[in-house]
């Protein structure tokens, strides 16, 4: 019964975030306001928030509040500054320069635990109920691949790029509430992860590059090559 309450409340908060149009790294109302809005205790609210934080949909900072998105590795002022410097075109170009190499190294250094985490993220991407949930799991998948390199410097560089990417205004319109069952990124993600788990570094690198080119051509259809 308690687990059902937490699950239902987490889903209500997820809908609340989406319907109110909160942006990445935007602060949610204080816990007392959220508890009052959902007519639950602070303890019940915190359990639901913990569930959403595990899924990468929110992050919490003691004394500062609850924010939308995954926890950043930089402070919010740095994120805002870097976000102002980078255009969507530059962000995707940076991803193409960095992430295929991360996939290659992940094929060499990834552990069984990394592979299990990748499969879990893939499954959650496929079953995401809406775009915000999908994007959170997509973010988690790419982060797991970076961590599978076992290279802390590269992970830090990836995370810096990632928070800038998620803070950049893309202006991408969505015609559906969530990804279709045949959404192309599902199979692209699968190909990357299968190659990494097979320790085929050349294929992992190529599949990640193909995936990012696909993203580029969908998000920035007028981008010149």
């Amino acid at each position: 019964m308690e687990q059902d309450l937490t699950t239902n409340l987490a889903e209500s908060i997820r809908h609340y975030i989406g319907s109110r149009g909160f942006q990445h790294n935007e602060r949610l109302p204080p816990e007392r306001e959220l508890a009052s809005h959902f007519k639950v205790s602070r303890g019940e609210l915190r359990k639901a928030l913990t569930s959403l934080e595990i899924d990468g949909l929110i992050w919490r900072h003691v004394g500062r509040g609850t924010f939308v998105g995954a926890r950043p590795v930089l402070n919010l002022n740095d994120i805002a500054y870097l976000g102002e410097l980078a255009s969507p075109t530059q962000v995707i170009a940076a991803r193409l320069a960095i992430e295929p190499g991360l996939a290659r190294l992940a094929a060499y250094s990834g552990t069984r635990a990394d592979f299990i985490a990748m499969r879990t993220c893939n499954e959650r991407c496929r079953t995401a109920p809406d775009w915000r949930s999908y994007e959170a799991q997509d973010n988690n998948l790419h982060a797991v691949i970076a961590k599978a390199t076992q290279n802390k410097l590269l992970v830090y560089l990836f995370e810096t790029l990632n928070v800038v990417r998620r803070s950049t205004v893309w202006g991408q319109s969505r015609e559906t509430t969530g990804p279709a069952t045949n959404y192309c990124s599902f199979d692209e993600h699968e190909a990357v992860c299968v190659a990494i788990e097979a320790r085929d570094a050349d294929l992992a690198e190529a599949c990640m590059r193909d995936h990012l080119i696909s993203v580029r051509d969908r998000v920035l259809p007028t981008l010149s090559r």
Side-chain angles (χ1 to χ4, degrees):
M1 181 69 70
E2 182 178 344
Q3 182 61 41
D4 289 342
L5 174 61
T6 299
T7 300
N8 292 337
L9 179 56
E11 186 59 33
S12 295
I13 298 171
R14 186 194 305 269
H15 177 73
Y16 170 85
I17 291 172
S19 65
R20 297 296 179 92
F22 287 98
Q23 300 300 308
H24 185 69
N25 282 324
E26 185 174 353
R27 182 164 33 209
L28 295 179
E31 285 187 0
R32 65 178 181 279
E33 291 185 24
L34 290 175
S36 175
H37 176 83
F38 292 105
K39 296 179 172 59
V40 297
S41 68
R42 295 278 288 274
E44 290 166 338
L45 176 71
R46 286 170 180 163
K47 290 177 182 178
L49 292 177
T50 296
S51 174
L52 294 176
E53 188 169 22
I54 290 172
D55 283 344
L57 293 174
I58 63 167
W59 62 279
R60 290 180 286 177
H61 188 291
V62 176
R64 297 187 65 183
T66 301
F67 299 83
V68 175
R71 181 180 297 277
V73 293
L74 305 175
N75 68 55
L76 296 180
N77 290 332
D78 287 341
I79 291 170
Y81 172 70
L82 290 172
E84 291 172 358
L85 292 181
S87 68
T89 301
Q90 292 171 331
V91 169
I92 289 185
R95 294 188 71 189
L96 275 164
I98 292 173
E99 291 195 54
L102 295 179
R104 181 180 189 85
L105 290 175
Y108 289 127
S109 303
T111 65
R112 178 174 174 78
D114 293 324
F115 301 153
I116 291 172
M118 289 177 204
R119 289 198 295 270
T120 299
C121 290
N122 264 332
E123 181 59 29
R124 289 179 175 175
C125 280
R126 289 183 182 273
T127 59
D130 51 51
W131 281 112
R132 187 180 292 275
S133 298
Y134 166 78
E135 288 163 358
Q137 296 306 327
D138 171 77
N139 176 73
N140 289 343
L141 173 60
H142 284 267
V144 168
I145 291 171
K147 290 174 183 175
T149 66
Q150 316 304 328
N151 186 310
K152 293 181 179 179
L153 177 57
L154 288 175
V155 170
Y156 183 84
L157 292 173
F158 166 81
E159 290 179 340
T160 301
L161 171 59
N162 200 35
V163 293
V164 173
R165 173 178 71 86
R166 300 194 72 190
S167 301
T168 301
V169 177
W170 295 87
Q172 184 181 11
S173 61
R174 301 290 197 185
E175 297 179 354
T176 59
T177 57
T181 55
N182 63 345
Y183 186 53
C184 56
S185 283
F186 295 158
D187 288 342
E188 293 167 5
H189 285 159
E190 186 73 20
V192 172
C193 295
V194 167
I196 290 173
E197 191 163 355
R199 301 204 182 278
D200 189 331
D202 289 341
L203 183 59
E205 183 176 21
C207 286
M208 179 63 83
R209 182 175 292 105
D210 288 346
H211 168 55
L212 294 175
I213 289 173
S214 174
V215 171
R216 181 194 66 186
D217 291 347
R218 278 184 282 112
V219 176
L220 301 174
T222 60
L223 180 64
S224 59
R225 301 186 182 183

